[in-house]
Amino acid sequence: TSDPDVLTTRKRRARSILTTLLLSQGVPMLLGGDEIGRTQGGNNNAYCQDNEISWYDWSNPDEDMLAYTREVIRLREQHPVFRRRRWFEGRSVRASIHNDIAWYKPDGNAMTSDDWQRGYAKSLCVYLNGRGILTLDERGRTMTDDSFLILFNAHHDLVHFTLPPEQSDHEWEIVLYSAVGLVDDLPAHAPASGDVAGWSVAVLRCPRGSHNSTGIPT
């Protein structure tokens, strides 16, 4: 279809999925062509289609999608908190350091076991502690990074996120917002007061110098 609303929604959801994939731990497995908007006409098993369905249209790439993908990759490359070499502990990883990872509901309260079982829970927040990496850099020093809050909204409508109490004293900086597209557009389109558009992901950063001795942003 050429309906502009449908195409806009498709691109928003594609950016959201790309963000989720590229900021996940482990090696991202990106299907070639996703970064330029290659859809295969909706065919997810086109191995036997030696025609326009599976070919790459190098003459007409989605430049906005490509630029956005590059920005997410750049963010991943710059921050080792997205490229951990050890499993998360989900708790305090050493004396005086706050949890290496924590999950929250949109209201700012921690996710419980029951919350994970609810099928209607389409929105949540994850906290990645830059002081909880616990691996050494190339010089044998303890690795630290900025901390991040990633707000996932898989619901079709806007959802308001409240910062978790232990992170609410710091004014987090938004560095990525999949509802927008190009990161250069962020100043004019950043989520206001924690509002995240439907089918979107927002990434907030707390610089490492803003943490106290426990690893909690101050």
Side-chain angles (χ1 to χ4, degrees):
T1 179
S2 59
D3 186 317
D5 291 335
V6 171
L7 296 180
T8 297
T9 299
R10 284 178 179 171
K11 285 191 175 184
R12 174 182 290 188
R13 299 185 76 169
R15 289 192 298 266
S16 177
I17 294 170
L18 274 169
T19 306
T20 303
L21 171 67
L22 292 172
L23 296 187
S24 296
Q25 304 297 320
V27 179
M29 303 295 286
L30 182 66
L31 178 64
D34 282 354
E35 76 283 2
I36 59 173
R38 173 173 173 259
T39 68
Q40 297 186 152
N43 190 324
N44 66 351
N45 192 23
Y47 74 97
C48 61
Q49 298 287 343
D50 185 15
N51 51 44
E52 289 85 354
I53 291 177
S54 61
W55 295 344
Y56 286 70
D57 184 3
W58 297 112
S59 64
N60 189 34
D62 187 331
E63 296 289 355
D64 289 344
M65 185 68 74
L66 179 59
Y68 182 80
T69 304
R70 284 172 172 161
E71 287 290 346
V72 184
I73 292 174
R74 179 187 60 80
L75 185 66
R76 179 185 177 88
E77 289 180 337
Q78 290 180 346
H79 294 284
V81 74
F82 298 119
R83 298 178 281 104
R84 293 172 54 96
R85 295 164 58 188
R86 294 180 59 176
W87 297 107
F88 286 106
E89 297 287 343
R91 57 181 174 80
S92 179
V93 291
R94 62 173 178 262
S96 77
I97 296 298
H98 193 55
N99 289 7
D100 55 355
I101 188 172
W103 299 88
Y104 300 95
K105 295 180 290 186
D107 62 7
N109 292 315
M111 294 278 290
T112 66
S113 297
D114 289 341
D115 291 326
W116 286 110
Q117 303 302 318
R118 294 191 173 100
Y120 61 81
K122 298 181 180 296
S123 305
L124 53 83
C125 167
V126 60
Y127 166 64
L128 300 177
N129 188 349
R131 294 192 55 176
I133 299 176
L134 294 188
T135 51
L136 305 179
D137 63 16
E138 62 277 5
R139 296 186 179 181
R141 299 171 301 188
T142 300
M143 190 177 296
T144 60
D145 193 9
D146 301 336
S147 290
F148 288 85
L149 285 172
I150 308 179
L151 316 180
F152 296 94
N153 181 16
H155 188 50
H156 67 270
D157 205 354
L158 179 147
V159 168
H160 176 77
F161 283 82
T162 299
L163 290 180
E166 56 266 37
Q167 277 93 31
S168 61
D169 291 339
H170 185 81
E171 186 174 347
W172 291 74
E173 170 195 15
I174 181 164
V175 294
L176 202 63
Y177 187 33
S178 66
V180 175
L182 290 177
V183 176
D184 290 342
D185 296 334
L186 275 176
H189 299 90
S193 304
D195 292 339
V196 178
W199 295 312
S200 299
V201 179
V203 181
L204 283 63
R205 180 178 70 95
C206 176
R208 68 192 76 185
S210 299
H211 293 75
N212 62 23
S213 61
T214 66
I216 300 176
T218 58

